[in-house]
Amino acid sequence: MSMTSSKHVFGSYGIMALLFFAAALVTADLSAEFYDESCPDALDIIEDAVRAAVSKESRMGASLLRLHFHDCFVNGCDGSVLLDGATGEKNAVPNKNSLRGFELVDDIKAQLEEACAKVVSCADILAVAARDSVVALGGPTWDVELGRRDGTTTSQDAANSDLPAPTSDLGALTKAFSTKGLTQKDMVALSGAHTIGQARCVNFRGRLYNETAPSLDATLATSLKPRCPATDGTGDDNTSPLDPSTSYVFDNFYYKNLLRNKGLLHSDQQLFSGGGSADAQTTAYASGMGAGFFDDFRDAMVKMGGIGVLTGSSGQVRVNCRKAN
């Protein structure tokens, strides 16, 4: 190997090592007991609100989980996805007319401010609400590390560039997660969040009408076409479940569906393509949850929850999640 190629390889691994090291340092600044003394009822307040909302509308669980993911992937887990503003993350292509749950977060924040003013951050609300949503829909639980502080800025451009597109191939997905310090294994596990929730027609129209390798399961495709016509601009915001088998249960049917070419999004089906590097992991998750998918999902959620967090004196604890103090 030449000196030039050796330097290139070392640089790539060096960057990844720094990302993982930085994530480990940040996680060390967080603690599951962070609010035990300063706001002892905080976790109960969040859990009660989430359970009530999910009981009223099951889809809200997926919406809250997605808010946390979209927050962490843009400038870190700093609550910036909640900030209002014409040039903010809410109006980015992946989020506009798509992200939900803002009013519920407002309600939770108001309750927390009444219980313990200026203590619990909006970023931590999203992290805990994501966990409680998964549990409410039958998924695994985990200790959420707390102590994040809120950012004061929001970036539409960063959201447009950093959030993986539903048209992404496996390589692009792996790269997008790697940039955030997450492995391909983490990516496949976190994609299991699509066992709940909905996708807009505009995001799967191409897979429904144009893909042949592999094409969407014929029976599923036939059932989707009335709500998702082939013409652009027609029915774009109509939604269909990402997991048509058990749409509101957090289980491993998402992976079972991929083995049958029932991945609704192009990016979903990339996790099982008949020879791809994610096929083995997807197949394993399709066969079991307890010692496989569930364990890896909870580990990856903790890891994702440490991306780019603000702690200590950095950032602030926003009083209103929609605007900086």
Coordinates of all heavy atoms in Angstrom, one line a residue, residues 50-105:
V50 N -48.2 11.1 27.0 CA -47.9 10.3 25.8 C -48.9 9.1 25.7 O -49.5 8.8 24.7 CB -46.5 9.7 25.7 CG1 -46.3 8.7 24.6 CG2 -45.5 10.9 25.5
R51 N -49.1 8.4 26.8 CA -50.0 7.3 26.9 C -51.5 7.8 26.5 O -52.2 7.1 25.8 CB -50.0 6.6 28.2 CG -48.8 5.7 28.4 CD -48.9 4.8 29.6 NE -47.8 3.9 29.7 CZ -47.8 2.7 29.0 NH1 -48.8 2.4 28.2 NH2 -46.8 1.9 29.1
A52 N -51.9 8.9 27.1 CA -53.2 9.4 26.8 C -53.4 9.8 25.3 O -54.4 9.4 24.7 CB -53.5 10.6 27.6
A53 N -52.3 10.4 24.7 CA -52.4 10.8 23.3 C -52.4 9.5 22.4 O -53.1 9.5 21.4 CB -51.2 11.7 23.0
V54 N -51.6 8.5 22.7 CA -51.5 7.3 21.9 C -52.8 6.5 22.0 O -53.2 5.9 21.0 CB -50.3 6.5 22.2 CG1 -50.3 5.2 21.5 CG2 -49.0 7.3 21.9
S55 N -53.4 6.5 23.2 CA -54.6 5.8 23.4 C -55.7 6.5 22.6 O -56.6 5.8 22.0 CB -55.0 5.9 24.9 OG -56.3 5.2 25.1
K56 N -55.7 7.8 22.4 CA -56.7 8.5 21.6 C -56.4 8.3 20.1 O -57.4 8.2 19.3 CB -56.6 10.0 22.0 CG -57.7 10.8 21.3 CD -57.6 12.3 21.8 CE -58.7 13.2 21.1 NZ -58.6 14.6 21.6
E57 N -55.1 8.4 19.7 CA -54.8 8.2 18.3 C -53.5 7.4 18.2 O -52.4 8.0 18.5 CB -54.6 9.6 17.7 CG -54.3 9.5 16.2 CD -53.6 10.8 15.6 OE1 -53.2 11.6 16.4 OE2 -53.4 10.8 14.4
S58 N -53.5 6.2 17.8 CA -52.3 5.3 17.8 C -51.2 5.9 17.0 O -50.0 5.7 17.3 CB -52.7 3.9 17.3 OG -53.7 3.3 18.2
R59 N -51.6 6.6 15.9 CA -50.5 7.1 15.0 C -49.6 8.1 15.7 O -48.5 8.3 15.3 CB -51.2 7.8 13.8 CG -50.2 8.3 12.8 CD -51.0 9.0 11.7 NE -50.0 9.7 10.7 CZ -50.4 10.6 9.9 NH1 -51.6 11.0 9.8 NH2 -49.5 11.1 9.1
M60 N -50.1 8.7 16.8 CA -49.3 9.7 17.5 C -48.0 9.1 18.0 O -46.9 9.8 18.1 CB -50.1 10.4 18.6 CG -49.3 11.5 19.3 SD -48.8 12.8 18.2 CE -50.4 13.5 17.7
G61 N -48.0 7.9 18.3 CA -46.7 7.2 18.8 C -45.6 7.3 17.8 O -44.5 7.7 18.1
A62 N -45.9 7.0 16.5 CA -45.0 7.1 15.5 C -44.5 8.5 15.2 O -43.4 8.8 14.9 CB -45.5 6.5 14.2
S63 N -45.5 9.4 15.3 CA -45.2 10.8 15.1 C -44.2 11.4 16.1 O -43.2 12.1 15.7 CB -46.5 11.7 15.2 OG -47.4 11.3 14.2
L64 N -44.3 11.0 17.4 CA -43.4 11.4 18.4 C -42.0 10.8 18.2 O -41.0 11.5 18.4 CB -43.9 11.1 19.8 CG -45.2 11.9 20.2 CD1 -45.8 11.4 21.5 CD2 -44.9 13.4 20.3
L65 N -42.0 9.5 17.9 CA -40.7 8.9 17.6 C -40.0 9.5 16.4 O -38.7 9.7 16.5 CB -41.0 7.4 17.3 CG -39.8 6.5 17.0 CD1 -38.7 6.5 18.1 CD2 -40.3 5.0 16.7
R66 N -40.7 9.9 15.4 CA -40.1 10.5 14.2 C -39.6 11.9 14.6 O -38.5 12.3 14.1 CB -41.2 10.6 13.1 CG -40.6 11.0 11.8 CD -41.6 10.7 10.7 NE -41.1 11.1 9.4 CZ -41.6 12.2 8.7 NH1 -42.6 12.9 9.2 NH2 -41.1 12.5 7.5
L67 N -40.3 12.6 15.4 CA -39.8 14.0 15.9 C -38.4 13.9 16.5 O -37.5 14.7 16.2 CB -40.8 14.6 16.9 CG -41.9 15.4 16.3 CD1 -42.8 16.0 17.5 CD2 -41.4 16.6 15.5
H68 N -38.2 12.9 17.3 CA -36.9 12.7 18.0 C -35.8 12.4 17.0 O -34.7 12.9 17.0 CB -37.0 11.6 19.0 CG -35.8 11.3 19.8 ND1 -35.0 12.3 20.4 CD2 -35.1 10.2 20.1 CE1 -34.0 11.8 21.0 NE2 -34.0 10.5 20.9
F69 N -36.1 11.5 16.0 CA -35.2 11.1 15.0 C -34.8 12.3 14.2 O -33.6 12.6 13.9 CB -35.7 10.0 14.1 CG -34.9 9.7 12.9 CD1 -33.8 8.7 13.1 CD2 -35.0 10.2 11.7 CE1 -33.0 8.4 12.0 CE2 -34.2 9.9 10.6 CZ -33.2 9.0 10.8
H70 N -35.8 13.1 13.7 CA -35.6 14.2 12.8 C -34.9 15.3 13.6 O -34.2 16.2 13.0 CB -36.9 14.7 12.2 CG -37.3 13.9 11.1 ND1 -37.7 14.4 9.8 CD2 -37.4 12.5 10.9 CE1 -38.0 13.4 9.0 NE2 -37.8 12.3 9.6
D71 N -35.1 15.4 14.9 CA -34.3 16.4 15.7 C -32.8 16.0 15.8 O -32.0 16.8 15.5 CB -34.9 16.4 17.1 CG -34.3 17.5 18.0 OD1 -33.9 18.6 17.5 OD2 -34.0 17.2 19.2
C72 N -32.6 14.8 16.1 CA -31.2 14.3 16.4 C -30.3 14.4 15.1 O -29.1 14.7 15.2 CB -31.1 12.9 17.0 SG -31.8 12.8 18.6
F73 N -30.9 14.1 13.9 CA -30.1 14.1 12.7 C -29.8 15.5 12.2 O -29.0 15.6 11.2 CB -30.9 13.3 11.7 CG -30.3 11.9 11.5 CD1 -30.3 11.0 12.6 CD2 -29.7 11.5 10.3 CE1 -29.7 9.7 12.5 CE2 -29.2 10.2 10.2 CZ -29.2 9.3 11.3
V74 N -30.4 16.5 12.7 CA -30.1 17.9 12.3 C -29.5 18.7 13.4 O -30.3 19.0 14.3 CB -31.4 18.5 11.7 CG1 -31.0 19.9 11.1 CG2 -32.0 17.6 10.6
N75 N -28.3 19.0 13.4 CA -27.6 19.7 14.4 C -27.7 19.1 15.8 O -27.5 19.8 16.8 CB -28.2 21.2 14.5 CG -28.0 21.9 13.2 OD1 -27.0 21.8 12.5 ND2 -29.0 22.8 12.9
G76 N -27.9 17.8 15.9 CA -27.9 17.1 17.1 C -29.2 17.1 17.8 O -30.1 17.8 17.4
C77 N -29.3 16.4 18.9 CA -30.6 16.3 19.7 C -30.7 17.5 20.6 O -30.5 17.4 21.8 CB -30.6 15.0 20.5 SG -30.1 13.5 19.7
D78 N -31.1 18.6 20.0 CA -31.2 19.9 20.7 C -32.6 20.6 20.7 O -32.7 21.7 21.0 CB -30.1 20.9 20.1 CG -30.4 21.3 18.7 OD1 -31.3 20.7 18.0 OD2 -29.8 22.2 18.2
G79 N -33.6 19.8 20.2 CA -34.9 20.4 20.2 C -35.1 21.4 19.1 O -36.2 22.1 19.1
S80 N -34.2 21.6 18.2 CA -34.3 22.6 17.2 C -35.4 22.3 16.2 O -35.9 23.2 15.5 CB -33.0 22.8 16.4 OG -32.6 21.6 15.8
V81 N -35.8 21.1 16.0 CA -36.9 20.7 15.1 C -38.2 21.4 15.6 O -39.2 21.5 14.8 CB -37.1 19.2 15.0 CG1 -37.7 18.6 16.3 CG2 -37.9 18.8 13.8
L82 N -38.3 21.8 16.8 CA -39.5 22.4 17.4 C -39.7 23.9 17.2 O -40.7 24.4 17.4 CB -39.6 22.1 18.9 CG -39.6 20.6 19.3 CD1 -39.5 20.5 20.8 CD2 -40.8 19.9 18.8
L83 N -38.6 24.5 16.8 CA -38.6 25.9 16.6 C -39.4 26.4 15.4 O -39.2 25.8 14.3 CB -37.1 26.5 16.5 CG -36.3 26.4 17.8 CD1 -34.8 26.6 17.5 CD2 -36.8 27.4 18.8
D84 N -40.2 27.4 15.6 CA -41.0 28.0 14.5 C -40.0 28.9 13.7 O -39.0 29.3 14.1 CB -42.1 28.8 15.0 CG -43.3 27.9 15.5 OD1 -43.3 26.8 15.2 OD2 -44.1 28.5 16.3
G85 N -40.5 29.2 12.4 CA -39.7 30.0 11.6 C -39.7 29.6 10.1 O -39.6 28.4 9.9
A86 N -39.9 30.5 9.2 CA -40.0 30.2 7.8 C -38.8 29.5 7.3 O -38.9 28.7 6.3 CB -40.2 31.5 7.0
T87 N -37.6 29.7 7.8 CA -36.4 29.1 7.3 C -35.9 28.0 8.3 O -34.8 27.5 8.2 CB -35.2 30.1 7.2 OG1 -35.0 30.7 8.4 CG2 -35.6 31.2 6.2
G88 N -36.8 27.5 9.1 CA -36.5 26.5 10.1 C -36.7 25.1 9.6 O -37.1 24.8 8.4
E89 N -36.4 24.1 10.4 CA -36.4 22.7 10.0 C -37.9 22.2 9.7 O -38.1 21.3 8.9 CB -35.8 21.8 11.2 CG -34.3 22.1 11.4 CD -33.8 21.5 12.7 OE1 -34.3 20.4 13.1 OE2 -33.0 22.2 13.3
K90 N -38.8 22.8 10.4 CA -40.2 22.4 10.2 C -40.6 22.6 8.7 O -41.5 21.8 8.2 CB -41.2 23.3 11.0 CG -41.2 23.0 12.5 CD -42.2 23.8 13.2 CE -42.2 23.5 14.7 NZ -43.2 24.3 15.5
N91 N -40.0 23.5 8.0 CA -40.4 23.8 6.6 C -39.4 23.1 5.6 O -39.5 23.4 4.4 CB -40.5 25.3 6.3 CG -41.7 25.9 7.0 OD1 -42.8 25.4 6.8 ND2 -41.5 27.0 7.8
A92 N -38.6 22.3 6.1 CA -37.7 21.5 5.2 C -38.5 20.5 4.4 O -39.6 20.1 4.8 CB -36.6 20.8 5.9
V93 N -38.0 20.1 3.2 CA -38.7 19.1 2.4 C -39.2 17.9 3.1 O -40.3 17.4 3.0 CB -37.9 18.8 1.1 CG1 -38.6 17.7 0.3 CG2 -37.7 20.0 0.3
P94 N -38.3 17.2 3.9 CA -38.7 16.0 4.6 C -39.7 16.2 5.7 O -40.4 15.2 6.1 CB -37.4 15.4 5.2 CG -36.3 16.2 4.5 CD -36.9 17.5 4.2
N95 N -39.9 17.4 6.2 CA -40.7 17.7 7.3 C -42.0 18.4 7.0 O -43.0 18.2 7.7 CB -39.9 18.6 8.3 CG -38.7 17.8 8.9 OD1 -38.6 16.6 8.9 ND2 -37.7 18.6 9.3
K96 N -42.1 19.3 6.0 CA -43.2 20.1 5.8 C -44.5 19.2 5.4 O -44.4 18.3 4.6 CB -42.9 21.1 4.6 CG -44.0 22.2 4.5 CD -43.6 23.2 3.4 CE -44.6 24.3 3.3 NZ -44.2 25.4 2.3
N97 N -45.6 19.6 6.1 CA -46.8 18.8 5.9 C -46.6 17.3 6.2 O -47.4 16.5 5.8 CB -47.3 18.9 4.4 CG -47.6 20.3 4.0 OD1 -48.1 21.1 4.8 ND2 -47.3 20.6 2.7
S98 N -45.7 17.0 7.1 CA -45.4 15.7 7.4 C -45.2 15.5 8.9 O -45.8 14.6 9.5 CB -44.1 15.2 6.6 OG -43.8 13.9 6.9
L99 N -44.3 16.2 9.5 CA -44.1 16.1 11.0 C -45.3 16.5 11.8 O -46.0 17.4 11.4 CB -42.9 17.0 11.4 CG -41.5 16.5 11.1 CD1 -40.5 17.5 11.7 CD2 -41.2 15.1 11.5
R100 N -45.6 15.7 12.8 CA -46.8 16.0 13.7 C -46.4 15.9 15.1 O -45.3 15.5 15.5 CB -47.8 14.9 13.4 CG -48.2 14.7 12.0 CD -49.0 13.4 11.8 NE -50.3 13.5 12.3 CZ -50.8 12.8 13.3 NH1 -50.0 11.9 13.9 NH2 -52.0 12.9 13.7
G101 N -47.3 16.3 16.0 CA -47.1 16.1 17.4 C -46.6 17.4 18.1 O -46.4 17.4 19.4
F102 N -46.5 18.5 17.4 CA -46.0 19.7 18.0 C -47.0 20.2 19.2 O -46.5 20.7 20.2 CB -45.9 20.8 17.0 CG -44.9 20.5 15.9 CD1 -45.3 20.3 14.6 CD2 -43.5 20.4 16.2 CE1 -44.4 19.9 13.6 CE2 -42.6 20.1 15.2 CZ -43.0 19.9 13.9
E103 N -48.3 20.1 19.0 CA -49.2 20.6 20.0 C -49.1 19.8 21.2 O -49.2 20.3 22.3 CB -50.6 20.6 19.4 CG -50.9 21.5 18.3 CD -50.4 21.1 16.9 OE1 -49.9 19.9 16.8 OE2 -50.3 21.9 16.0
L104 N -48.9 18.4 21.1 CA -48.7 17.6 22.3 C -47.5 18.0 23.0 O -47.5 18.0 24.3 CB -48.7 16.1 21.8 CG -48.4 15.1 23.0 CD1 -49.5 15.2 24.1 CD2 -48.4 13.7 22.4
V105 N -46.4 18.2 22.3 CA -45.2 18.7 23.0 C -45.4 20.0 23.7 O -44.9 20.2 24.9 CB -44.0 18.8 22.0 CG1 -42.8 19.4 22.6 CG2 -43.7 17.5 21.3

